[in-house]
Amino acid sequence: MQDPSAPSTAVPPLRLNALAPDFTARTTMGERSLSDYRGRWLVLMSHPADFTPVCTSEFVALARQAEAFAALDCDLMALSVDSLYAHIAWLADIDRRYGVRIPFPVIEDPSMVIGTAYGMVDADSPDSATVRATFVIDPDGIVRAISWYPMTVGRSVEELLRLVTALQTTDREQASTPAGWTAGAPLLEPAAVTLDEALAAEAGGQGWYTRERKS
């Protein structure tokens, strides 16, 4: 049992707007570094093990939408604690069973170094059961969104696409998105931060939080 008085070796999860930790690792598409993706958006997702049904379904769905992510200047990258050779066998099995070629790299992380650096697993964790997270990283290497999933629930590829689109749109338009926003729908103007701004908006019949504009 760990001595409760000993200093913790746990790495806290990354927070939004933090710089994503760089790394260099072997992948199914050769050696890759996070810094290779500067200048583009990146969705980095992790899964606990190869050949698992939920993650297989996700990989197939992501592969089928790879062009939609590419149209957003957004790359995909996956991570698992399994070895490179296990990854290759898994992707070959997906190709054979479903006729789907996985077009994005899958990182090997057998020592859980990357997973630990991203706060996906405790430094003292004996296994990868909690390595199931998604990070949206912007072209400057900043973490802009994080989502966590249990092993039993598959991620929504449509929601990932919507999320990346919304982040890009709010950056470009300096606005916010309302609930359920999709591309082309009205955007919300930023809330007033001074009394003068609030009164000006009210006088114009705009309201404080309901001013909308098309993206």
Side-chain angles (χ1 to χ4, degrees):
M1 179 180 296
Q2 183 177 355
D3 180 357
S5 64
S8 174
T9 57
V11 176
L14 283 179
R15 296 184 181 275
L16 294 183
N17 300 316
L19 182 66
D22 198 9
F23 59 81
T24 299
R26 295 200 304 174
T27 82
T28 52
M29 292 181 160
E31 188 174 274
R32 295 290 172 91
S33 299
L34 182 70
S35 54
D36 295 337
Y37 294 87
R38 288 295 176 88
R40 291 178 60 82
W41 289 77
L42 175 68
V43 172
L44 172 64
M45 70 212 92
S46 59
H47 58 278
D50 294 345
F51 293 97
T52 54
V54 171
C55 293
T56 298
S57 71
E58 291 176 342
F59 271 38
V60 171
L62 285 162
R64 288 173 174 164
Q65 290 280 28
E67 290 186 3
F69 283 99
L72 296 173
D73 290 325
C74 181
D75 291 310
L76 302 170
M77 178 180 279
L79 176 147
S80 168
V81 300
D82 287 327
S83 72
L84 176 64
Y85 305 105
H87 289 347
I88 292 171
W90 182 29
L91 301 192
D93 184 66
I94 291 174
D95 194 346
R96 186 165 52 250
R97 287 175 178 268
Y98 303 103
V100 174
R101 182 70 58 89
I102 302 303
F104 50 84
V106 184
I107 304 164
E108 68 167 359
D109 189 25
S111 62
M112 297 190 284
V113 171
I114 300 172
T116 300
Y118 276 73
M120 291 185 276
V121 287
D122 189 289
D124 299 320
S125 178
D127 57 48
S128 64
T130 56
V131 182
R132 187 143 167 74
T134 304
F135 299 86
V136 179
I137 302 170
D138 73 14
D140 294 321
I142 303 299
V143 176
R144 299 293 301 279
I146 305 172
S147 59
W148 301 84
Y149 288 82
M151 295 174 66
T152 55
V153 178
R155 284 167 271 220
S156 168
V157 175
E158 290 302 324
E159 173 57 18
L160 283 174
L161 282 166
R162 190 190 79 90
L163 176 58
V164 173
T165 302
L167 288 168
Q168 294 179 353
T169 302
T170 56
D171 282 359
R172 183 177 65 250
E173 300 294 334
Q174 294 297 295
S176 301
T177 61
W181 179 88
T182 55
L187 298 168
L188 298 175
E189 294 284 0
V193 295
T194 68
L195 178 59
D196 286 344
E197 289 178 0
L199 293 177
E202 196 71 24
Q206 300 286 342
W208 288 22
Y209 306 106
T210 58
R211 290 177 289 164
E212 297 184 343
R213 56 180 170 181
K214 285 284 188 177
S215 58

